[in-house]
Amino acid sequence: MSTLTPNILAELEKQAIELPSWAFGNSGTRFKVFGTPGTPRDPFEKVSDAAQVHRLTGLAPTVALHIPWDKSDYDALRQHASDEGVALGTINSNTFQDDDYKFGALTHEDGRIRQKAIDHHLECIDIMHATGSRDLKIWLAEGSNYPGQADMRGRQDRLHESLQTIYARLGEEQRLVLEYKFFEPAFYHTDVPDWGTSYAQVAALGDKALVCLDTGHHAPGTNIEFIVMQLLRLGKLGSFDFNSRFYADDDLIVGAADPFQLFRIVFEVVRGGGLNNPDVQFMLDQCHNVENKILGQTRSVLNVQEMTARALLVDTDALREAQISGDPLAANQVFMDAFYTDVRPALAEWRESRGLPADPMRAFAESGYQQKIEQERAGGQQAGWGA
Amino acid sequence: MSTLTPNILAELEKQAIELPSWAFGNSGTRFKVFGTPGTPRDPFEKVSDAAQVHRLTGLAPTVALHIPWDKSDYDALRQHASDEGVALGTINSNTFQDDDYKFGALTHEDGRIRQKAIDHHLECIDIMHATGSRDLKIWLAEGSNYPGQADMRGRQDRLHESLQTIYARLGEEQRLVLEYKFFEPAFYHTDVPDWGTSYAQVAALGDKALVCLDTGHHAPGTNIEFIVMQLLRLGKLGSFDFNSRFYADDDLIVGAADPFQLFRIVFEVVRGGGLNNPDVQFMLDQCHNVENKILGQTRSVLNVQEMTARALLVDTDALREAQISGDPLAANQVFMDAFYTDVRPALAEWRESRGLPADPMRAFAESGYQQKIEQERAGGQQAGWGA
Amino acid sequence: MSTLTPNILAELEKQAIELPSWAFGNSGTRFKVFGTPGTPRDPFEKVSDAAQVHRLTGLAPTVALHIPWDKSDYDALRQHASDEGVALGTINSNTFQDDDYKFGALTHEDGRIRQKAIDHHLECIDIMHATGSRDLKIWLAEGSNYPGQADMRGRQDRLHESLQTIYARLGEEQRLVLEYKFFEPAFYHTDVPDWGTSYAQVAALGDKALVCLDTGHHAPGTNIEFIVMQLLRLGKLGSFDFNSRFYADDDLIVGAADPFQLFRIVFEVVRGGGLNNPDVQFMLDQCHNVENKILGQTRSVLNVQEMTARALLVDTDALREAQISGDPLAANQVFMDAFYTDVRPALAEWRESRGLPADPMRAFAESGYQQKIEQERAGGQQAGWGA
Amino acid sequence: MSTLTPNILAELEKQAIELPSWAFGNSGTRFKVFGTPGTPRDPFEKVSDAAQVHRLTGLAPTVALHIPWDKSDYDALRQHASDEGVALGTINSNTFQDDDYKFGALTHEDGRIRQKAIDHHLECIDIMHATGSRDLKIWLAEGSNYPGQADMRGRQDRLHESLQTIYARLGEEQRLVLEYKFFEPAFYHTDVPDWGTSYAQVAALGDKALVCLDTGHHAPGTNIEFIVMQLLRLGKLGSFDFNSRFYADDDLIVGAADPFQLFRIVFEVVRGGGLNNPDVQFMLDQCHNVENKILGQTRSVLNVQEMTARALLVDTDALREAQISGDPLAANQVFMDAFYTDVRPALAEWRESRGLPADPMRAFAESGYQQKIEQERAGGQQAGWGA
């Protein structure tokens, strides 16, 4: 009856996508950050909004924090999350908003500043113990704007040393995931620009260090699903930061720019054993400049879920047969048949069967939650990237 | 003796490159704006810093203003500029920092907001009368982030109407230059994304409307000098915004990312009769996130000058001969011979002969100006993109 | 009952997509052209294969020819097409396979070679009279590989003159469509690299000259549907060459690389009044390096049809309401709802109601046609790009 | 007196750049290969032409062969090279021109075809013993054109197995260098698309397996010098294939498209200890579609030499000082000062002092060699990529 088999539904049942606390704060471009009514003013309100997404979808049981933006009484925050039905997740460090880091942090020429950046990460690990988080995610804004400005080689060596010190502090069950990014905020060179660099750096650290793949952080034309395949093959894919982009922004809703690319990525996750594998954390890393933030997150996790359903629909026997027989059109058709299957009605039905709203987007609109927070959150300083 | 002939020097003598007032304020990325000591706090101090660049190089006799960032007593500002040995230049409008413009300005669905944006431009024209400026430069931040969000066609039609109203207000000697930009701050569609759109829009207005070509606003792989050629051929190249970029930023020092590209661009300017042609305004549009601002501007105008000297060195007779005979290597060699000629010593010598410092970068360092402004400009609010 | 309303089906009923004769010949890369059994050896066999696609889909009533590859007894070929149930369509010129054209054709420095290239186009116009074709499509392989090699400005002027001469020969009902291409086979500059150049050139010719938009001929990140919108707005969109690409090839099956992009393109065609508008010719321009050629073409026209059905499903009232109210998520959802609707079952049903196979791909496999041509077409020289 | 110090000249004295035999044969695009008079008809004539480049420049003492294009009596060819004053170098395998390899070679689903491809490489190793070559260079054309067509993961695993078998056959002093390429001739996925994949594959083989970096094989915007730095740091940079490109071709003369990029690349080679280091082979991999082939190669090695001279001119003490002090403009100026220094006169002088022509390009024109080969090489089949 349904397009989705019990096996597929059983897989989907297990799916969990972590939300970033900062998605609920204001964000924008270097030209303008538009504030919006109801924006949280502290980590507690962010967690409440995130929990709302989980209530609507059943897909988002954890919330990632960003330090120092989410500095807080962590016991209280952890309790608050629990009260809201979610848990605290990955801890994200920040070494890009202090004047000291103008020319680098973990790679800086000056040992004092490197130590400051290392200490920040050690503090993050302490926070992880308080929040019960497993993963320390490191995205480095480091690099240079002009050729000659930086000694790229020396920086790479210092990066290794700094990471080693941080890695040494990790608890038994904790992990370090190192994100790479093609460009921005540095414009000439970036110290961890590609998966190869991230892989080489984490491989030199040990088993608890892995790569974080942010879907928006690649050069144009890059075959991202190939990288997914390769990192899974090498046993080093630690987590995903999902989002999408058309050119160089990286904060659009996952699946919004190129849904078929997301399909191919999730298919490779399934192919490589990464689906619902605790070693491969699914996470969003995106913000909402012009759209409603809670709905933006809701749409995002639904997009990942829908695409996972489609990826699971691929008739892998038929696909293998076509691949082996050297029939590109037949193989592609198997692929496209799954992609073009409309899984939304079956997911809506299944959602209802689990006590979730058939249409989470509409349910939010009808819930009055947005109106409530717009009223309640008058006054105070809205959260953004600076706080 | 010199690598530069009297004819070349006579051309260089006439060269003028307008500076943007905002280059002297703080700027950065969406992640962080680093403040720097000595940053101007008002348009008067920006003009003083710009005048410093002109004193060092003889290349930058005018300063472009940005409204509302440079709102001011224009008579006083004009007098101040004159006292400093420079003049006020292009007026730049701003329709991207008001909450009303979240979903467009000149293209907005709502007539009230369109009128507000039009009124802003009419005010800019009034200011042009006060400042003695010829050009109104319009860069539009308008567009959308998600497919479906905007009716691109309706916006294009409304853009035409809005521009027509603005154009109608231009004085006899005034011009409107319309800048295009490939992407950012809108991430899915931009209302004036390419030279073709800017050209079609200004062609529909009349002779006083022209295209502004910003060297950092193109898709990867775009042959920018081809566009320079084409716009000159069509009689619609109104001005340049010079800067450079490696990937998607557009605020690096002109010539810093790809000096040979700048050479090719200036060569086409010369080829098409655009050099020292009052109809083709040379301007910088770049900011300085991590480097000294006054030196950054100084380096930029020197780069344009040096590349102009190299472009003028091309042996056009030999080039034509090689082109006509179908000898790509010979033609390319003529080109490269000019590019690889070191014009810096001859320019230094010539600069001295005109009472300018041989080495403007060093002269600035030795002038004590930076120390002076760092001391004098204590307190107050440093200027940035928001003010 | 069906996802497709009678109005939508009535639109689809009218849809026609022209096939390129060369899609049925061998093609490949500079590294290797793989031959395949059954490949046509002359234009008659190509037309027969094209007719097969039309029989399977009802979507491809005309076949474009490429001169000189399809030089022939045109009366006989026209009759053959008619016998097969199709007609001859656009005539494509070729100025890239003669040694004389190494450094240009319509733009060449040497008047003799320009005249030769002009004469070729005049011959094409003569052929159009014989074949009953309306459109002369000009794609120019001209450009240069090295900076300095060519005088881009002079070439542009000569291009205008050459096109004027060709244009003057067009019959009353004939048209000239000028294709643009970002790069290849020239690697530094291309004489018609972008829509702006094509537009400026055809606008200078007259009403019978229009732009051909090839979906594979843009820089990375280009918003192609924006160009569709703009050209329709300017009344200058003459035809589409459909295909797709991931990076720089431009011969993959339309919709294969980014189906959502195709959706957005077709949506703008509908929005701008270009659907089933005789002034806007739909055409494929793609070859099949590794897949079955007849199936490749069949898949392609089906992809265009399916995406047209989806584009017609957009609830434009709801879309406008969301756009006007400034709700990006709601607008995007209207868009995505149409895109994600599975139109394939309804199209299969409708196809059957028109006496066409429900599954054209399977019908071809079962038809024995491929086996037949593999047997019959033994011996002779298989057609390719060189013949 | 000279801009080049004795130390720099001593470094340049040691520089050697290998030439590809195929640069002397015809090449082109998928649209057309233009033949040229005097093109070699066999490996002996190719070696003679390559030797001519060495006579003119002193820079190109070895010639790389491509199997099977250069299949030959290797003893005779080796003797011929020696007679001409050069030696045979790297052996390049070819698994892209046999019908069997339509869907892969070392990665093929079919074990028979994989074995055939492996055997080809074993034959290449045998040839290396005959020619006295150290390096086996493997560039793989493998990949797929459509999503779903290929099981990327399975292919990656089979690639590892195939490479292992080949690696096991290497002699004590022999090496395997694995080239990566972003795209082409496969258009959807490429089995070795990036340095990370090449690095992971060769790291799994052993010390005698290294990465070959082809300067034309990256996504747009890639910071290639960063990769040079990283591979040197990891001890895995085996060789360079030098060439340049504007967009997607990769066969333009090295340094022609972006000379400053070449400067930055060579600077990182020097910085990382790769200059005149036998472990890091410099090689050209480029062809000449429209320009004279011998002059094209001559220009190329001169470009590498000139850029090496400029890279050696960087005042590394001043650079370090500026880097450490956090002065981007000062550091960049040190860099640019070296880049803008005109090293050509000093190199011409030095060339003469070594008994080489001051102007190798002119010397070739005056030598009569081209006229001679055009006369002598009448008849026969000109060499190209197919032979």
Side-chain angles (χ1 to χ4, degrees), chain C residues 118-131:
Chain C
I118 290 169
D119 288 344
H120 168 66
H121 285 88
L122 300 185
E123 185 195 351
C124 286
I125 294 174
D126 290 343
I127 292 171
M128 288 161 69
H129 289 297
T131 54

Side-chain angles (χ1 to χ4, degrees), chain C residues 19-84:
Chain C
L19 304 185
S21 71
W22 53 98
F24 301 96
N26 290 322
S27 67
T29 68
R30 58 182 173 140
F31 296 100
K32 169 76 172 170
V33 174
F34 293 98
T36 47
T39 296
R41 295 154 305 174
D42 59 43
F44 291 81
E45 293 179 354
K46 293 183 198 173
V47 165
S48 294
D49 287 2
Q52 200 63 16
V53 177
H54 187 49
R55 268 181 215 110
L56 292 164
T57 63
L59 282 168
T62 57
V63 188
L65 301 183
H66 192 116
I67 307 302
W69 299 344
D70 294 324
K71 278 205 170 186
S72 190
D73 172 338
Y74 300 107
D75 289 337
L77 189 63
R78 195 175 180 173
Q79 185 58 51
H80 174 67
S82 175
D83 293 346
E84 290 275 25

Side-chain angles (χ1 to χ4, degrees), chain B residues 120-368:
Chain B
H120 167 67
H121 284 88
L122 301 185
E123 184 195 353
C124 285
I125 294 174
D126 290 344
I127 293 171
M128 288 161 69
H129 288 297
T131 53
S133 303
R134 180 186 62 170
D135 289 354
L136 171 63
K137 189 167 74 184
I138 304 180
W139 168 63
L140 296 170
E142 302 175 47
S144 64
N145 279 6
Y146 291 100
Q149 174 186 336
D151 175 28
M152 296 192 297
R153 169 63 180 271
R155 292 171 74 94
Q156 200 66 207
D157 294 337
R158 291 191 293 273
L159 175 59
H160 171 62
E161 286 168 31
S162 297
L163 288 175
Q164 244 180 346
T165 308
I166 296 164
Y167 184 81
R169 183 70 78 89
L170 288 176
E172 197 59 41
E173 306 300 321
Q174 291 178 332
R175 313 190 310 171
L176 177 164
V177 290
L178 182 62
E179 193 169 338
Y180 58 93
K181 190 179 183 189
F182 176 51
F183 95 108
E184 197 207 24
F187 293 139
Y188 163 59
H189 110 269
T190 294
D191 288 303
V192 188
D194 53 23
W195 79 264
T197 294
S198 185
Y199 170 69
Q201 285 283 356
V202 300
L205 294 176
D207 288 348
K208 293 183 293 184
L210 297 122
V211 176
C212 174
L213 187 158
D214 184 299
T215 52
H217 289 188
H218 302 85
T222 300
N223 184 324
I224 299 172
E225 56 270 28
F226 183 91
I227 299 174
V228 171
M229 175 280 290
Q230 188 68 275
L231 285 171
L232 282 168
R233 179 178 172 267
L234 296 167
K236 281 294 189 188
L237 182 57
S239 61
F240 275 100
D241 270 3
F242 283 114
N243 54 56
S244 77
R245 59 169 191 135
F246 283 93
Y247 182 65
D249 51 289
D250 64 330
D251 270 336
L252 299 186
I253 287 172
V254 54
D258 185 349
F260 183 45
Q261 183 186 59
L262 179 60
F263 171 80
R264 302 191 311 261
I265 287 171
V266 179
F267 177 80
E268 285 304 322
V269 173
V270 175
R271 168 67 179 90
L275 186 67
N276 300 327
N277 175 341
D279 294 345
V280 183
Q281 176 78 46
F282 275 35
M283 219 179 314
L284 301 185
D285 186 4
Q286 57 189 52
C287 291
H288 304 285
N289 298 356
V290 298
E291 65 271 22
N292 181 287
K293 299 168 202 311
I294 296 173
L295 282 175
Q297 292 286 292
T298 301
R299 180 73 270 156
S300 298
V301 296
L302 292 173
N303 280 357
V304 174
Q305 182 185 50
E306 291 174 13
M307 220 49 96
T308 304
R310 289 185 187 96
L312 290 167
L313 276 172
V314 172
D315 181 341
T316 50
D317 290 341
L319 183 68
R320 280 302 292 147
E321 195 184 319
Q323 288 171 343
I324 290 168
S325 69
D327 188 338
L329 282 178
N332 183 247
Q333 184 148 343
V334 171
F335 228 56
M336 302 314 290
D337 277 349
F339 176 69
Y340 282 131
T341 300
D342 192 349
V343 298
R344 297 171 305 162
L347 285 173
E349 207 175 290
W350 175 66
R351 210 176 279 118
E352 280 196 302
S353 77
R354 297 169 66 210
L356 293 165
D359 181 344
M361 302 290 282
R362 176 187 304 266
F364 177 74
E366 292 169 351
S367 71

Side-chain angles (χ1 to χ4, degrees), chain C residues 98-101 111-121:
Chain C
D98 188 299
D99 283 339
D100 272 345
Y101 299 142
R112 184 187 65 77
I113 294 174
R114 285 203 303 282
Q115 190 58 51
K116 175 174 170 172
I118 290 169
D119 288 344
H120 168 66
H121 285 88

Side-chain angles (χ1 to χ4, degrees), chain C residues 17 24 51 54 62 65 80 104 111 166 172 192 211 223 246-247 333 378:
Chain C
I17 305 154
F24 301 96
H54 187 49
T62 57
L65 301 183
H80 174 67
I166 296 165
E172 198 59 40
V192 188
V211 175
N223 185 324
F246 283 94
Y247 182 65
Q333 184 148 342

